[in-house]
């Protein structure tokens, strides 16, 4: 495996997984504010454990990432206030903008997971075979 995970990073990955699960449950259960807020807390603490506290603060406070940070935290605030649909949309946009540099690393990590990696790589393998058969 390309990445070594110590215990703190494993806990961080677990917290992010539980955070995404709680967020998914919150969306499925008619935008339940409690589950969405718990998912946000777990995801943020997981990111802090993976990156480290100083790097997390640096990530959210860099001038390049200020648009993503602002939209993410406004989305968290809107969920806590009671506007979950707009809050989820702003959080999603903020997450994509904040973590746009991490997507290649995340893809490599996910492709190394036994079953999930096959599902991630299968569409590209299928399309490559399709295009090769069309060209021949």
């Amino acid at each position: 495996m390309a990445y070594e995970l110590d215990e703190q990073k494993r806990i961080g990955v677990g917290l992010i997984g539980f955070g995404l699960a709680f967020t998914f449950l919150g969306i499925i259960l008619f935008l339940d504010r409690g589950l969405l807020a718990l998912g946000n807390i777990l995801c943020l603490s997981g990111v802090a454990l993976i990156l480290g506290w100083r790097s997390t603060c640096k990530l959210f406070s860099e001038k390049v990432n200020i648009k993503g940070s602002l939209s993410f935290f406004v989305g968290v605030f809107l969920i806590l206030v009671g506007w979950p649909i707009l809050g989820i949309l702003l959080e999603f946009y903020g997450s994509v903008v904040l973590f746009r540099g991490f997507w290649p690393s995340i893809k490599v990590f996910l492709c190394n997971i036994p079953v999930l990696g096959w599902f991630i790589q299968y569409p590209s393998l299928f399309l490559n075979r399709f295009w090769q058969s069309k060209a021949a």
Side-chain angles (χ1 to χ4, degrees), residues 34-112:
L35 289 173
L36 291 172
L38 188 59
N40 288 332
I41 292 168
L42 290 173
C43 281
L44 284 175
S45 59
V47 167
L49 283 177
I50 289 175
L51 296 178
W53 297 104
R54 187 171 293 145
S55 296
T56 303
C57 290
K58 185 179 175 185
L59 173 74
F60 283 110
S61 63
E62 282 183 348
K63 191 172 186 173
V64 177
N65 296 334
I66 201 72
K67 186 166 65 168
S69 300
L70 189 63
S71 64
F72 182 80
F73 286 118
V74 168
V76 170
F77 176 75
L78 288 176
I79 285 176
L80 293 175
V81 170
W83 291 30
I85 296 173
L86 186 60
I88 289 282
L89 292 174
L90 278 174
E91 276 186 18
F92 181 72
Y93 172 74
S95 297
V96 169
V97 171
L98 275 173
F99 300 112
R100 65 179 166 237
F102 293 103
W103 293 120
S105 300
I106 292 171
K107 184 181 179 204
V108 168
F109 176 75
L110 291 176
C111 286
N112 287 326

